[in-house]
Amino acid sequence: MASNNQLDTKSQAWSALFSEPMSELVKRYTASVFFDKRLSSADIRGSLAHAEMLAAVGCISGEDLASIQRGLAQIQAEIEAGEFEWQLDLEDVHLNIEARLTQLVGDAGKRLHTGRSRNDQVATDIRLWLRDEIDLIVDLLKDLQLALVEVAERNVDVILPGFTHLQVAQPVSFAHHLLAYVEMFSRDTERMLDVRARTNRLPLGSAALAGTTYPLDRERVARTLGMVDAQGQPQLCQNSLDAVSDRDFAIEFTSAASLVMVHISRLSEELILWMSQNFGFVKIADRFTTGSSIMPQKKNPDVPELARGKTGRVVGHLMGLITLMKGQPLAYNKDNQEDKEPLFDTVDTLKDTLRIFAEMVGGQTNAAGQKEGGIAVNADAMRAAAQKGYATATDLADYLVKKGLPFRDAHEVVAHAVKTAQVQGLDLSELSLETLQGFDARIEADVFGPLSLEGSMGARATIGGTAPSQIAEQLKRHRARLG
Ligand code: ARG
């Protein structure tokens, strides 16, 4: 016969109220233990903080607290050793741990759930778990930024064509190009830290939905769990209905993660293009590529391609989570159990992708403490590409403007010059001074400076421009920021 105080009889029925046991299919359909056991450490940490507070406010005795602590320590050890027996019958990570605790320490285990519900428990667990994952992700974002900065430092004077519409536009430094991604990943880091602040708030004490009749000290629990702001002030969810039900922090996180993946996907697309025979700008180490089963000459950029593909997967999780929330009335609904798998997969995919990219871009540290095996740059191929497509045409227009011609007129003059050069199969810098002067008499011998790739690049020295002097400033700023 089912009893209402024995968790391990739940497979029969929840309590005396239920007249029949759950069917096997329903049990499988509703259980989450095989994926939410991943929250076990967070669950135990939350339980320890809750129990310590229950003892401090006099809801449980000191002996009960000691028993709970002992039991939970043993459970943690069993889980780490792979010896814990997870039971589908016990539905989720919370009931599995609580049942085992009661088995180990008796009544003290049954007192742990005083003033608590699985609703505020699970919301706390996910927040704790995600907060720590965000910290790891922020570190990985830093590693990737550092890898990009290192490659940039070696390639300030390497020129490649900058594109708009994937048409040659103006010459830019390869370092400048890489630092564009550093900016993206730096904003991604800001977003992650911003999400972290809203994730790191305590739901516990909200109980099932309305709060609890016990005199719980929520601020104490928040402090114990490190749910504090920069000033050390405890951060509590301030409305119990909201605390147990909303998963907006998980949606925000997945949105921030999607943006990281989108940035990685853009970089991937460039690497794939740059590695193609038609560009030949870079090579990545062989271990990030694969061969073809039929074409012996192939080295395919699988890692960037997969990263581009996995971006769809993470964006899909964002769609899943945000749709999960839509239409849920207050307060907790079982729908929310579906938040975990997309969230876990987002974290796993993002962390693996960041790790692999940091190594693919920056290389590995060898025995001598130097990095090797990062992306290899073919500066000649980049330069040759920059010399095609009249990348310095704007510079000729700017030259004429500085000699007094209105910009629109200068634009027109240069269009004629480009047309003539195209017919002759020459670059603008290869036209003779006489030919150039035929387009505008103001042109003098000093025009060849701006018409060179170096001249063009070096002249763009506004803050954020591609001039080496400006890149040096940016590199200094990033180094100071990243260490
Ligand atoms: N496994 C559940 C989840 O992930 C825990 C909360 C269950 N609460 C409930 N009232 N059934 O959301």
Side-chain angles (χ1 to χ4, degrees), residues 20-40:
E20 60 175 4
M22 236 183 209
S23 81
E24 281 305 310
L25 179 58
V26 172
K27 209 188 288 173
R28 238 188 329 109
Y29 196 73
T30 57
S32 54
V33 63
F34 288 111
F35 51 86
D36 69 14
K37 64 183 178 188
R38 187 163 172 177
L39 295 173
S40 60

Side-chain angles (χ1 to χ4, degrees), residues 32 36 91-92 94 118-119 122 332 334 336-337 340:
S32 54
D36 69 14
E91 194 178 300
D92 60 20
H94 323 292
R118 277 188 299 157
N119 298 350
V122 70
Y332 176 85
K334 189 81 167 188
N336 280 340
Q337 183 164 286
K340 291 171 197 64

Side-chain angles (χ1 to χ4, degrees), residues 406-468:
F407 181 77
R408 278 288 153 233
D409 295 337
H411 188 276
E412 188 58 19
V413 168
V414 178
H416 285 293
V418 168
K419 204 167 171 185
T420 302
Q422 271 172 343
V423 171
Q424 299 183 15
L426 296 172
D427 181 53
L428 285 177
S429 62
E430 291 165 337
L431 293 176
S432 69
L433 183 58
E434 294 71 48
T435 311
L436 286 166
Q437 282 169 334
F439 299 111
D440 192 289
R442 274 163 279 215
I443 296 177
E444 292 168 88
D446 62 356
V447 75
F448 292 104
L451 283 185
S452 70
L453 296 180
E454 277 76 11
S456 167
M457 184 173 82
R460 288 182 164 69
T462 37
I463 295 175
T466 191

Side-chain angles (χ1 to χ4, degrees), residues 38-39 125-127 129-131 133-134 137 199 247 249-255 257 314 317-318 321 338-350:
R38 187 163 172 177
L39 295 173
D125 290 2
I126 312 170
R127 283 171 181 266
W129 175 84
L130 185 59
R131 177 193 70 187
E133 293 295 337
I134 290 174
I137 288 164
T199 300
R247 297 290 184 264
F249 62 93
I251 296 170
E252 266 192 79
F253 167 77
T254 312
S255 163
V314 171
H317 292 325
L318 169 62
L321 282 174
E338 288 289 308
D339 64 355
K340 291 171 197 64
E341 288 160 294
L343 196 55
F344 293 163
D345 189 65
T346 297
V347 164
D348 292 340
T349 306
L350 182 57

Side-chain angles (χ1 to χ4, degrees), residues 257-267 311 315:
S258 294
L259 276 170
V260 180
M261 289 300 293
V262 163
H263 292 150
I264 287 189
S265 187
R266 295 183 70 190
L267 178 56
T311 302
V315 173

